Amino acid sequence: MKKALITGITGQDGSYLADLLLSKGYEVHGIIRRASTFNTSRIDHLYQDPHVNGVKLFLHYGDLADSVQLVKLIYSLKPDEIYHLGAQSHVRVSFDIPEYTADVTGVASIRILEAMRETGVNSRFYQASSSEMFGKVQAVPQTETTPFWPRSPYGAAKVFAYWATVNYRESYNMFATNGILFNHESPRRGETFVTRKISRAVAAIKLGLQKELFLGNVEAKRDWGYAPEYVEAMWLMLQQDQPDDYVVATGETHTVREFLEQAFGHVDLDWKQFVKHDGRYERPAEVDLLVGDPSKAKRQLGWEPKVKFAELVKIMVDADLELLKKRA
């Protein structure tokens, strides 16, 4: 039985990755932060599913800012695979808390890589890199060789973590790989991210629970995929003979405005009647256009996206309609 350690297991990607690994017979360990309220809602179903043996999932209290705990945990578990997904992951918020973002999103990767090196644990390491590293894009579409130009503290921190991963791979012969994932969404997406903010507002407006939706730049263009498919790409990266870096994307770009049109149109509403602009949601430096070229992932991993943009929007709106109906 393979053993995996996931940081950020309570997040969107971490929860879908836990689903995937448990279905493949892994023993899964996750790091969670101690909080005064429960924050495990995305993985609670794993304890309730009769087809999943509960003893295969273990949660450990820890913090990405605590190197001592990371060393102890990695040494005691000796995982076959480490998926580092944990971060302060909100781009707009990273402008408000840049130092914390640099520490938890950037330096934390060094803490894990150094813990692996110090303990001599021969784990395969996955670093969750981001399309935000491209920022002010230098080429369209973006590939594994496109130069980085981050436009936020979050993007800068991810660039640091990316190169740290490459450095440890080259310096210490570690199996360390970067997945440069473009935007990927789902019903488990955090409610402060624009796609989920829209899908949830559409459901609430349709059900008469909300009247307006306030957004920033609706002309920003993104490459949006479906999160459960993207975590499969993560797993595939760690099953290769040699470590490498991969862009994971759909190859299509759509504006926030198009997302609005699809989401409101799905419930027969006109988005222009409900959406208002609020400058507070604008970034100090905007990333205008992101679209990835996943050719290498298709060629070497055999991975390609299946859920298209319109279907993704429908999945998210339908899920939020069901969620709000249950709570009503």
Side-chain angles (χ1 to χ4, degrees), residues 272-293:
K272 294 177 183 176
Q273 295 180 15
F274 304 98
V275 177
K276 303 289 191 297
H277 178 264
D278 189 332
R280 291 177 298 175
Y281 297 116
E282 300 271 2
R283 299 181 186 180
E286 181 60 86
V287 173
D288 297 312
L289 170 61
L290 291 175
V291 55
D293 179 357

Side-chain angles (χ1 to χ4, degrees), residues 29 40 48 50 53 69 75-77 102 142 148 157 179 220 243 246 281 293 301 316 323 325:
H29 295 258
T40 59
Q48 300 160 4
N53 182 353
Q69 170 64 5
Y75 181 73
S76 64
L77 292 178
Q142 293 88 55
F148 301 137
Y246 301 89
Y281 297 116
D293 179 357
L301 305 177
M316 293 183 67
L323 181 66
K325 284 176 184 176

Side-chain angles (χ1 to χ4, degrees), residues 84 105-107 109-110 113 125 127-130 133-134 143-150 154-172 174 176-180 244-245:
H84 178 37
T105 304
V107 180
S109 299
I110 283 278
L113 289 162
F125 176 78
Q127 165 62 29
S129 290
S130 168
M133 300 188 304
F134 295 117
T143 71
E144 292 80 4
T145 59
T146 302
F148 301 137
W149 193 320
Y154 171 81
K158 282 293 188 182
V159 170
F160 175 89
Y162 172 93
W163 284 116
T165 300
V166 172
N167 184 250
Y168 273 70
R169 179 170 73 214
E170 295 176 349
S171 300
Y172 304 115
M174 287 183 174
T177 184
N178 283 289
I180 308 173
D244 207 342
D245 307 317

Side-chain angles (χ1 to χ4, degrees), residues 201-218:
V202 167
I205 290 169
K206 183 65 176 179
L207 296 173
L209 303 174
Q210 185 174 325
K211 294 182 178 180
E212 296 175 313
L213 168 62
F214 292 92
L215 294 175
N217 179 18
V218 299

